[in-house]
Amino acid sequence: MNRNIAAMLCLSAFGLSACGKGADSIVSRSEAEALQSGEAVTVTATTAPAGAYVEPASTPVTVTTQTQSAGAMLTGGGQSVAALDTTSAEEKAAATAPATGGGRLGTTVASLGDATEGGFWIKTPLVSAPAKGRVVNPANGKSVNLDLQPLSGGGAGSQISLAAMQTLGVSITDLPEVEVWQN
């Protein structure tokens, strides 16, 4: 019996959090269905600290939701990857110019950084001060000249610009292992 009650409470918490209101908010089934369908709906929700009792709100709140595909969220609210890439033709030419020399700093796993931040850059724990360098994708041999920036907050991986990922021939959802070189 107690096991059944615990399972029902757990499922209720998951159900409420799936409505986007959080595990400590309460909405009716019709309100939840309206929210999920994207309609504008009047919702009376109660949010309370765990274990506290709160009287229901006397004034309803109107909530409008928007639905967005995962692809639209990934590409910046409906913008295409090409629309987010604001680098000029001159910048792209400079980034792909052959480069030699310098010292190899190491390898790192790179993920897409802030897609709205233009230019060619990598934020990495492999440098402690800004510098010029390049990144090589050993999987296909492509390389890109870019700005090396220290990664604030530490971490083991690196963040790379959208333009640099495209030049390296890497999908924005990939986590490639790249070589980092300093000029």
Coordinates of all heavy atoms in Angstrom, one line a residue, residues 75-175:
T75 N 19.1 26.3 -33.5 CA 19.6 27.3 -34.4 C 19.3 28.7 -34.1 O 19.3 29.6 -34.9 CB 19.2 27.0 -35.9 OG1 17.7 27.0 -35.9 CG2 19.7 25.7 -36.4
G76 N 18.9 29.0 -32.8 CA 18.7 30.3 -32.4 C 17.3 30.9 -32.6 O 17.1 32.0 -33.1
G77 N 16.3 30.1 -32.2 CA 14.9 30.6 -32.3 C 14.4 30.7 -33.7 O 13.7 31.7 -34.1
G78 N 14.7 29.8 -34.6 CA 14.2 29.8 -35.9 C 15.2 30.3 -37.0 O 14.9 30.3 -38.2
Q79 N 16.3 30.8 -36.6 CA 17.3 31.3 -37.5 C 18.1 30.2 -38.0 O 18.4 29.2 -37.3 CB 18.2 32.4 -36.9 CG 17.5 33.6 -36.5 CD 18.5 34.6 -35.9 OE1 19.6 34.2 -35.4 NE2 18.1 35.9 -35.8
S80 N 18.5 30.2 -39.3 CA 19.4 29.2 -39.8 C 20.8 29.4 -39.4 O 21.2 30.5 -38.9 CB 19.3 29.2 -41.4 OG 20.0 30.4 -41.9
V81 N 21.6 28.3 -39.5 CA 23.0 28.4 -39.2 C 23.7 29.5 -40.0 O 24.5 30.3 -39.5 CB 23.7 27.1 -39.3 CG1 25.2 27.2 -39.2 CG2 23.1 26.1 -38.3
A82 N 23.4 29.5 -41.3 CA 23.9 30.5 -42.2 C 23.6 32.0 -41.8 O 24.4 32.9 -41.9 CB 23.5 30.3 -43.6
A83 N 22.4 32.2 -41.2 CA 22.0 33.5 -40.8 C 22.8 33.9 -39.5 O 23.0 35.1 -39.3 CB 20.5 33.5 -40.5
L84 N 23.1 32.9 -38.7 CA 23.9 33.3 -37.5 C 25.4 33.5 -37.8 O 26.0 34.2 -37.0 CB 23.8 32.1 -36.5 CG 22.4 32.0 -35.8 CD1 22.3 30.7 -35.0 CD2 22.1 33.1 -34.9
D85 N 25.9 33.0 -38.9 CA 27.3 33.2 -39.2 C 27.4 34.6 -39.9 O 27.1 34.8 -41.0 CB 27.7 32.1 -40.2 CG 29.2 32.2 -40.6 OD1 29.9 33.1 -40.0 OD2 29.7 31.4 -41.4
T86 N 28.0 35.5 -39.1 CA 28.1 36.9 -39.6 C 29.5 37.3 -40.0 O 29.8 38.4 -40.2 CB 27.7 37.9 -38.4 OG1 28.5 37.7 -37.3 CG2 26.2 37.7 -38.1
T87 N 30.4 36.3 -40.2 CA 31.7 36.6 -40.7 C 31.8 37.0 -42.1 O 31.0 36.5 -43.0 CB 32.7 35.4 -40.5 OG1 32.1 34.2 -41.1 CG2 32.8 35.1 -39.0
S88 N 32.7 37.9 -42.5 CA 32.8 38.4 -43.8 C 33.6 37.5 -44.7 O 34.3 36.6 -44.2 CB 33.4 39.8 -43.8 OG 34.8 39.7 -43.4
A89 N 33.6 37.7 -46.0 CA 34.4 36.9 -46.9 C 35.9 37.1 -46.6 O 36.7 36.1 -46.7 CB 34.1 37.3 -48.4
E90 N 36.3 38.3 -46.3 CA 37.7 38.6 -45.9 C 38.1 37.8 -44.7 O 39.2 37.2 -44.6 CB 38.0 40.1 -45.7 CG 37.8 40.9 -47.0 CD 36.3 41.3 -47.2 OE1 35.5 41.2 -46.3 OE2 36.0 41.6 -48.4
E91 N 37.2 37.8 -43.7 CA 37.6 37.0 -42.5 C 37.7 35.5 -42.8 O 38.6 34.8 -42.2 CB 36.5 37.2 -41.4 CG 36.5 38.6 -40.8 CD 35.3 38.9 -39.9 OE1 34.2 38.6 -40.3 OE2 35.5 39.3 -38.7
K92 N 36.8 35.0 -43.6 CA 36.8 33.6 -44.0 C 38.1 33.3 -44.7 O 38.7 32.2 -44.5 CB 35.6 33.2 -44.8 CG 34.3 33.2 -43.9 CD 33.1 32.8 -44.7 CE 31.9 32.9 -43.8 NZ 30.6 32.6 -44.5
A93 N 38.5 34.2 -45.6 CA 39.7 33.9 -46.4 C 41.0 33.9 -45.5 O 41.9 33.1 -45.6 CB 39.9 35.0 -47.5
A94 N 41.0 34.9 -44.5 CA 42.1 34.9 -43.6 C 42.2 33.7 -42.7 O 43.2 33.2 -42.3 CB 42.1 36.2 -42.7
A95 N 41.0 33.2 -42.3 CA 40.9 32.0 -41.4 C 41.4 30.8 -42.1 O 41.8 29.8 -41.5 CB 39.5 31.9 -40.9
T96 N 41.2 30.7 -43.4 CA 41.6 29.5 -44.1 C 43.0 29.6 -44.8 O 43.4 28.6 -45.5 CB 40.5 29.1 -45.2 OG1 40.3 30.2 -46.1 CG2 39.2 28.8 -44.5
A97 N 43.7 30.7 -44.7 CA 45.0 30.8 -45.3 C 45.9 29.8 -44.6 O 45.9 29.6 -43.4 CB 45.5 32.3 -45.1
P98 N 46.8 29.2 -45.4 CA 47.8 28.3 -44.8 C 48.6 28.9 -43.7 O 49.1 30.0 -43.8 CB 48.7 27.9 -46.0 CG 47.9 28.3 -47.2 CD 47.0 29.4 -46.8
A99 N 48.8 28.2 -42.7 CA 49.6 28.6 -41.5 C 50.6 27.5 -41.2 O 50.2 26.3 -41.2 CB 48.8 29.0 -40.4
T100 N 51.8 27.9 -40.8 CA 52.8 26.9 -40.4 C 53.5 27.4 -39.1 O 53.3 28.6 -38.8 CB 53.8 26.6 -41.5 OG1 54.5 27.8 -41.8 CG2 53.2 26.0 -42.7
G101 N 54.3 26.6 -38.5 CA 55.0 27.0 -37.4 C 54.2 27.1 -36.1 O 53.1 26.6 -36.1
G102 N 54.8 27.6 -35.1 CA 54.1 27.7 -33.8 C 54.2 26.4 -33.1 O 54.8 25.5 -33.5
G103 N 53.7 26.4 -31.9 CA 53.8 25.3 -31.0 C 52.4 24.6 -30.8 O 51.4 25.3 -30.6
R104 N 52.4 23.3 -30.8 CA 51.2 22.6 -30.5 C 50.9 22.6 -29.0 O 51.8 22.2 -28.2 CB 51.4 21.1 -31.0 CG 50.2 20.3 -30.8 CD 50.4 18.9 -31.5 NE 49.2 18.1 -31.5 CZ 48.9 17.3 -30.5 NH1 49.6 17.2 -29.4 NH2 47.8 16.5 -30.6
L105 N 49.7 23.1 -28.7 CA 49.4 23.2 -27.2 C 48.7 21.9 -26.7 O 48.8 21.6 -25.5 CB 48.4 24.4 -27.0 CG 49.0 25.7 -27.4 CD1 47.9 26.8 -27.3 CD2 50.1 26.1 -26.5
G106 N 48.1 21.2 -27.6 CA 47.5 19.9 -27.2 C 46.2 19.7 -27.9 O 45.9 20.4 -28.9
T107 N 45.4 18.7 -27.4 CA 44.1 18.4 -28.1 C 43.0 18.7 -27.0 O 43.2 18.7 -25.8 CB 44.0 16.9 -28.5 OG1 44.2 16.1 -27.3 CG2 45.1 16.6 -29.5
T108 N 41.8 18.9 -27.6 CA 40.7 19.3 -26.7 C 39.4 18.8 -27.5 O 39.4 18.8 -28.7 CB 40.6 20.8 -26.4 OG1 39.6 21.0 -25.5 CG2 40.5 21.6 -27.6
V109 N 38.4 18.6 -26.7 CA 37.1 18.3 -27.3 C 36.4 19.7 -27.4 O 36.3 20.4 -26.4 CB 36.3 17.3 -26.4 CG1 34.9 17.2 -26.9 CG2 37.0 16.0 -26.4
A110 N 35.9 20.0 -28.6 CA 35.3 21.3 -28.8 C 33.8 21.2 -29.0 O 33.3 20.3 -29.8 CB 35.9 21.9 -30.0
S111 N 33.1 22.0 -28.3 CA 31.6 22.1 -28.6 C 31.3 23.5 -29.1 O 32.1 24.4 -28.9 CB 30.9 21.9 -27.2 OG 31.1 22.9 -26.3
L112 N 30.2 23.7 -29.7 CA 29.8 25.0 -30.2 C 29.6 26.0 -29.0 O 29.0 25.7 -28.0 CB 28.4 24.9 -30.9 CG 27.8 26.2 -31.4 CD1 28.7 26.8 -32.5 CD2 26.4 25.9 -32.0
G113 N 30.3 27.1 -29.2 CA 30.2 28.2 -28.2 C 29.0 29.0 -28.5 O 28.0 28.6 -29.2
D114 N 29.0 30.3 -28.1 CA 27.9 31.2 -28.3 C 27.8 31.5 -29.8 O 28.6 32.2 -30.4 CB 28.1 32.5 -27.5 CG 27.0 33.5 -27.6 OD1 26.1 33.3 -28.4 OD2 27.0 34.5 -26.9
A115 N 26.7 31.0 -30.4 CA 26.5 31.1 -31.8 C 26.3 32.5 -32.3 O 26.4 32.9 -33.4 CB 25.4 30.2 -32.3
T116 N 25.9 33.4 -31.3 CA 25.7 34.8 -31.7 C 26.9 35.6 -31.6 O 26.9 36.8 -32.0 CB 24.6 35.4 -30.8 OG1 25.1 35.4 -29.4 CG2 23.3 34.6 -30.9
E117 N 28.0 35.1 -31.1 CA 29.3 35.8 -31.0 C 30.1 35.4 -32.3 O 30.5 34.3 -32.5 CB 30.1 35.3 -29.8 CG 31.3 36.1 -29.5 CD 32.0 35.6 -28.2 OE1 31.3 35.1 -27.3 OE2 33.2 35.7 -28.1
G118 N 30.2 36.4 -33.2 CA 30.8 36.2 -34.5 C 32.3 36.1 -34.4 O 32.9 36.2 -33.4
G119 N 32.9 35.8 -35.6 CA 34.3 35.7 -35.7 C 34.8 34.3 -35.6 O 34.1 33.3 -35.5
F120 N 36.2 34.2 -35.6 CA 36.8 32.9 -35.5 C 37.6 32.9 -34.2 O 38.5 33.6 -34.0 CB 37.8 32.7 -36.7 CG 37.1 32.5 -38.0 CD1 36.8 33.6 -38.7 CD2 36.8 31.3 -38.4 CE1 36.1 33.5 -40.0 CE2 36.2 31.1 -39.7 CZ 35.8 32.2 -40.4
W121 N 37.2 32.0 -33.3 CA 37.8 31.9 -31.9 C 37.6 30.6 -31.3 O 36.7 29.8 -31.7 CB 37.2 33.0 -31.0 CG 35.7 33.1 -31.0 CD1 34.9 33.9 -31.7 CD2 34.8 32.2 -30.2 NE1 33.6 33.6 -31.4 CE2 33.5 32.6 -30.5 CE3 35.0 31.2 -29.2 CZ2 32.4 32.0 -29.9 CZ3 33.9 30.7 -28.6 CH2 32.6 31.1 -29.0
I122 N 38.4 30.3 -30.3 CA 38.2 29.1 -29.5 C 38.5 29.5 -28.1 O 39.5 30.2 -27.8 CB 39.0 27.9 -29.9 CG1 38.6 26.6 -29.1 CG2 40.5 28.2 -29.8 CD1 39.2 25.3 -29.6
K123 N 37.6 29.2 -27.1 CA 37.8 29.4 -25.7 C 38.3 28.1 -25.1 O 37.5 27.1 -25.2 CB 36.6 29.9 -25.0 CG 36.2 31.3 -25.6 CD 34.9 31.8 -24.9 CE 34.5 33.1 -25.5 NZ 33.2 33.6 -25.0
T124 N 39.5 28.0 -24.6 CA 40.1 26.8 -24.2 C 40.9 26.9 -22.9 O 41.5 27.9 -22.7 CB 40.9 26.2 -25.4 OG1 41.5 25.0 -24.9 CG2 42.0 27.2 -25.8
P125 N 40.9 25.8 -22.1 CA 41.8 25.9 -21.0 C 43.3 25.7 -21.3 O 44.1 25.7 -20.4 CB 41.3 24.7 -20.1 CG 40.6 23.8 -21.0 CD 40.1 24.7 -22.2
L126 N 43.6 25.5 -22.6 CA 45.0 25.3 -23.0 C 45.8 26.6 -23.1 O 47.0 26.5 -23.3 CB 45.0 24.6 -24.4 CG 44.4 23.2 -24.5 CD1 44.4 22.6 -25.9 CD2 45.2 22.2 -23.5
V127 N 45.1 27.7 -23.0 CA 45.8 29.0 -23.0 C 45.4 29.8 -21.7 O 44.3 29.6 -21.2 CB 45.6 29.9 -24.2 CG1 46.1 29.2 -25.5 CG2 44.1 30.2 -24.4
S128 N 46.4 30.6 -21.2 CA 46.1 31.4 -20.0 C 45.9 32.9 -20.4 O 45.6 33.7 -19.6 CB 47.1 31.2 -19.0 OG 48.4 31.5 -19.5
A129 N 46.3 33.3 -21.6 CA 46.2 34.6 -22.1 C 45.7 34.6 -23.6 O 46.1 33.6 -24.3 CB 47.5 35.4 -22.0
P130 N 45.0 35.6 -24.1 CA 44.6 35.7 -25.5 C 45.9 35.6 -26.4 O 46.9 36.2 -26.1 CB 43.9 37.0 -25.6 CG 43.5 37.4 -24.2 CD 44.5 36.8 -23.3
A131 N 45.7 34.9 -27.5 CA 46.8 34.7 -28.5 C 46.2 34.4 -29.8 O 45.0 34.1 -29.9 CB 47.8 33.6 -28.0
K132 N 47.0 34.4 -30.8 CA 46.7 34.0 -32.2 C 47.1 32.5 -32.3 O 48.1 32.1 -31.8 CB 47.3 34.8 -33.3 CG 46.9 36.3 -33.3 CD 45.5 36.4 -33.8 CE 45.0 37.8 -33.9 NZ 43.6 37.9 -34.2
G133 N 46.3 31.7 -33.1 CA 46.7 30.4 -33.3 C 45.8 29.7 -34.3 O 45.2 30.4 -35.2
R134 N 45.8 28.4 -34.3 CA 45.0 27.7 -35.3 C 44.5 26.4 -34.6 O 45.1 25.9 -33.7 CB 45.7 27.4 -36.6 CG 46.8 26.4 -36.6 CD 47.5 26.3 -37.9 NE 48.5 25.3 -37.9 CZ 49.7 25.4 -37.4 NH1 50.1 26.6 -36.9 NH2 50.6 24.5 -37.4
V135 N 43.4 25.9 -35.2 CA 42.9 24.6 -34.8 C 42.8 23.7 -36.0 O 42.5 24.1 -37.1 CB 41.5 24.8 -34.2 CG1 40.8 23.5 -34.0 CG2 41.5 25.6 -32.9
V136 N 43.2 22.4 -35.8 CA 43.3 21.4 -36.9 C 42.3 20.3 -36.5 O 42.3 19.8 -35.4 CB 44.7 20.8 -37.1 CG1 44.7 19.8 -38.1 CG2 45.7 21.9 -37.4
N137 N 41.5 19.9 -37.5 CA 40.6 18.8 -37.3 C 41.3 17.6 -37.9 O 41.3 17.4 -39.1 CB 39.2 19.0 -38.0 CG 38.3 17.9 -37.9 OD1 38.5 16.9 -37.2 ND2 37.1 18.1 -38.4
P138 N 41.9 16.7 -37.0 CA 42.6 15.6 -37.5 C 41.7 14.6 -38.3 O 42.2 13.8 -39.1 CB 43.2 14.9 -36.3 CG 42.5 15.5 -35.1 CD 41.8 16.8 -35.6
A139 N 40.4 14.6 -38.1 CA 39.5 13.7 -38.8 C 39.5 13.9 -40.3 O 39.3 13.0 -41.1 CB 38.1 13.7 -38.2
N140 N 39.6 15.2 -40.7 CA 39.6 15.5 -42.1 C 40.7 16.4 -42.6 O 40.8 16.7 -43.8 CB 38.2 16.2 -42.5 CG 38.0 17.5 -41.8 OD1 38.9 18.1 -41.2 ND2 36.8 17.9 -41.8
G141 N 41.6 16.8 -41.7 CA 42.8 17.6 -42.1 C 42.5 19.1 -42.3 O 43.5 19.8 -42.5
K142 N 41.3 19.5 -42.1 CA 41.0 20.9 -42.3 C 41.5 21.7 -41.1 O 41.5 21.2 -39.9 CB 39.5 21.2 -42.4 CG 38.9 20.6 -43.8 CD 37.5 20.9 -43.9 CE 37.0 20.4 -45.3 NZ 35.6 20.8 -45.5
S143 N 41.9 23.0 -41.3 CA 42.4 23.8 -40.2 C 41.8 25.2 -40.4 O 41.3 25.6 -41.4 CB 43.9 23.9 -40.2 OG 44.4 24.6 -41.3
V144 N 41.8 26.0 -39.3 CA 41.3 27.3 -39.3 C 42.2 28.2 -38.4 O 42.6 27.8 -37.3 CB 39.8 27.4 -38.8 CG1 39.7 26.8 -37.4 CG2 39.3 28.8 -38.9
N145 N 42.6 29.4 -38.8 CA 43.3 30.4 -38.0 C 42.3 31.1 -37.2 O 41.2 31.5 -37.7 CB 44.1 31.3 -38.9 CG 45.1 30.6 -39.8 OD1 45.7 29.7 -39.4 ND2 45.1 31.0 -41.1
L146 N 42.6 31.3 -35.9 CA 41.6 31.9 -35.0 C 42.3 32.6 -33.8 O 43.5 32.5 -33.6 CB 40.5 30.9 -34.6 CG 40.9 29.5 -34.2 CD1 41.8 29.4 -33.1 CD2 39.7 28.7 -34.0
D147 N 41.4 33.2 -33.0 CA 41.9 33.8 -31.8 C 41.8 32.7 -30.7 O 40.7 32.1 -30.5 CB 41.0 35.0 -31.4 CG 41.2 36.2 -32.3 OD1 42.3 36.4 -32.8 OD2 40.2 36.8 -32.7
L148 N 42.8 32.5 -29.9 CA 42.8 31.6 -28.8 C 42.4 32.5 -27.5 O 43.1 33.5 -27.3 CB 44.2 31.0 -28.6 CG 44.8 30.2 -29.7 CD1 46.2 29.8 -29.4 CD2 43.9 29.1 -30.1
Q149 N 41.4 32.1 -26.8 CA 41.0 32.8 -25.6 C 40.9 31.8 -24.5 O 40.5 30.7 -24.6 CB 39.6 33.4 -25.9 CG 39.5 34.4 -27.0 CD 38.1 34.8 -27.4 OE1 37.2 34.5 -26.6 NE2 37.9 35.5 -28.4
P150 N 41.4 32.3 -23.3 CA 41.3 31.4 -22.1 C 39.8 31.2 -21.8 O 38.9 32.0 -22.0 CB 41.9 32.3 -21.0 CG 42.5 33.4 -21.6 CD 41.9 33.6 -23.0
L151 N 39.5 29.9 -21.4 CA 38.2 29.6 -21.0 C 38.0 29.9 -19.5 O 38.6 29.3 -18.7 CB 37.9 28.1 -21.2 CG 36.5 27.5 -20.9 CD1 35.5 28.2 -21.8 CD2 36.5 26.0 -21.1
S152 N 37.1 30.9 -19.3 CA 36.8 31.3 -17.9 C 36.0 30.2 -17.2 O 35.1 29.6 -17.8 CB 36.1 32.6 -17.8 OG 34.9 32.5 -18.5
G153 N 36.2 29.9 -16.0 CA 35.5 28.9 -15.2 C 36.1 27.5 -15.3 O 35.6 26.6 -14.7
G154 N 37.2 27.4 -16.0 CA 37.9 26.1 -16.1 C 37.1 25.1 -17.0 O 36.3 25.5 -17.8
G155 N 37.3 23.9 -16.7 CA 36.7 22.8 -17.5 C 37.7 22.1 -18.4 O 38.8 22.6 -18.6
A156 N 37.3 21.0 -18.8 CA 38.3 20.1 -19.6 C 38.1 20.4 -21.1 O 39.0 20.2 -21.9 CB 38.0 18.7 -19.3
G157 N 36.9 20.7 -21.6 CA 36.7 20.9 -23.0 C 36.8 22.4 -23.4 O 37.1 23.2 -22.6
S158 N 36.5 22.6 -24.7 CA 36.7 24.0 -25.2 C 35.4 24.4 -25.9 O 34.6 23.5 -26.3 CB 37.8 24.0 -26.2 OG 39.0 23.7 -25.6
Q159 N 35.2 25.7 -26.1 CA 34.1 26.2 -26.9 C 34.6 26.9 -28.1 O 35.6 27.6 -28.0 CB 33.3 27.2 -26.0 CG 32.7 26.6 -24.8 CD 32.1 27.7 -23.9 OE1 32.0 28.9 -24.2 NE2 31.6 27.3 -22.7
I160 N 34.0 26.6 -29.3 CA 34.5 27.1 -30.5 C 33.4 27.8 -31.3 O 32.2 27.5 -31.1 CB 35.1 25.9 -31.4 CG1 35.9 26.5 -32.5 CG2 34.1 25.0 -31.8 CD1 36.8 25.4 -33.2
S161 N 33.8 28.9 -32.0 CA 32.8 29.7 -32.7 C 32.1 28.9 -33.9 O 32.7 27.9 -34.4 CB 33.5 30.9 -33.3 OG 34.3 30.6 -34.4
L162 N 31.0 29.4 -34.2 CA 30.2 28.8 -35.3 C 30.9 28.8 -36.6 O 31.0 27.8 -37.3 CB 28.8 29.5 -35.4 CG 27.9 29.1 -36.6 CD1 27.5 27.6 -36.4 CD2 26.8 30.0 -36.7
A163 N 31.6 29.9 -36.9 CA 32.3 30.1 -38.2 C 33.5 29.1 -38.2 O 33.8 28.5 -39.2 CB 32.8 31.5 -38.3
A164 N 34.2 28.9 -37.1 CA 35.3 28.0 -37.0 C 34.8 26.6 -37.2 O 35.5 25.8 -37.9 CB 36.1 28.2 -35.7
M165 N 33.7 26.2 -36.6 CA 33.2 24.8 -36.8 C 32.8 24.6 -38.2 O 33.1 23.5 -38.7 CB 32.0 24.6 -35.9 CG 32.3 24.4 -34.4 SD 30.9 23.8 -33.4 CE 31.1 22.0 -33.6
Q166 N 32.2 25.5 -38.9 CA 31.9 25.3 -40.3 C 33.1 25.2 -41.1 O 33.2 24.4 -42.0 CB 31.0 26.5 -40.8 CG 29.6 26.5 -40.2 CD 28.8 27.6 -40.7 OE1 29.2 28.7 -40.8 NE2 27.6 27.2 -41.1
T167 N 34.2 26.0 -40.9 CA 35.4 25.9 -41.6 C 36.1 24.6 -41.4 O 36.7 24.0 -42.4 CB 36.3 27.1 -41.2 OG1 35.7 28.3 -41.5 CG2 37.6 27.1 -42.1
L168 N 36.0 24.0 -40.2 CA 36.6 22.7 -39.9 C 35.8 21.6 -40.5 O 36.2 20.4 -40.4 CB 36.7 22.6 -38.4 CG 37.8 23.4 -37.8 CD1 37.7 23.3 -36.2 CD2 39.2 23.1 -38.2
G169 N 34.6 21.9 -41.1 CA 33.8 20.8 -41.6 C 33.1 20.0 -40.6 O 32.9 18.8 -40.8
V170 N 32.7 20.6 -39.5 CA 32.1 19.9 -38.4 C 30.7 20.3 -38.2 O 30.4 21.5 -38.2 CB 32.9 20.1 -37.1 CG1 32.3 19.5 -35.9 CG2 34.4 19.7 -37.2
S171 N 29.8 19.4 -37.9 CA 28.4 19.7 -37.6 C 28.3 20.5 -36.2 O 29.1 20.1 -35.3 CB 27.6 18.4 -37.5 OG 26.3 18.7 -37.0
I172 N 27.4 21.4 -36.1 CA 27.3 22.1 -34.9 C 26.9 21.3 -33.7 O 27.0 21.7 -32.5 CB 26.3 23.3 -35.0 CG1 24.9 22.9 -35.3 CG2 26.8 24.3 -36.0 CD1 23.9 24.0 -35.3
T173 N 26.4 20.1 -33.9 CA 26.0 19.2 -32.8 C 27.1 18.2 -32.5 O 27.0 17.4 -31.5 CB 24.7 18.4 -33.2 OG1 24.9 17.6 -34.4 CG2 23.6 19.3 -33.4
D174 N 28.2 18.2 -33.3 CA 29.3 17.2 -33.0 C 30.2 17.8 -31.8 O 30.2 18.9 -31.5 CB 30.2 17.1 -34.2 CG 29.5 16.2 -35.3 OD1 28.5 15.6 -35.0 OD2 30.0 16.2 -36.4
L175 N 31.0 16.8 -31.3 CA 32.0 17.2 -30.3 C 33.3 16.6 -30.8 O 33.8 15.6 -30.3 CB 31.6 16.5 -28.9 CG 30.3 17.0 -28.3 CD1 29.9 16.2 -27.1 CD2 30.4 18.5 -27.9

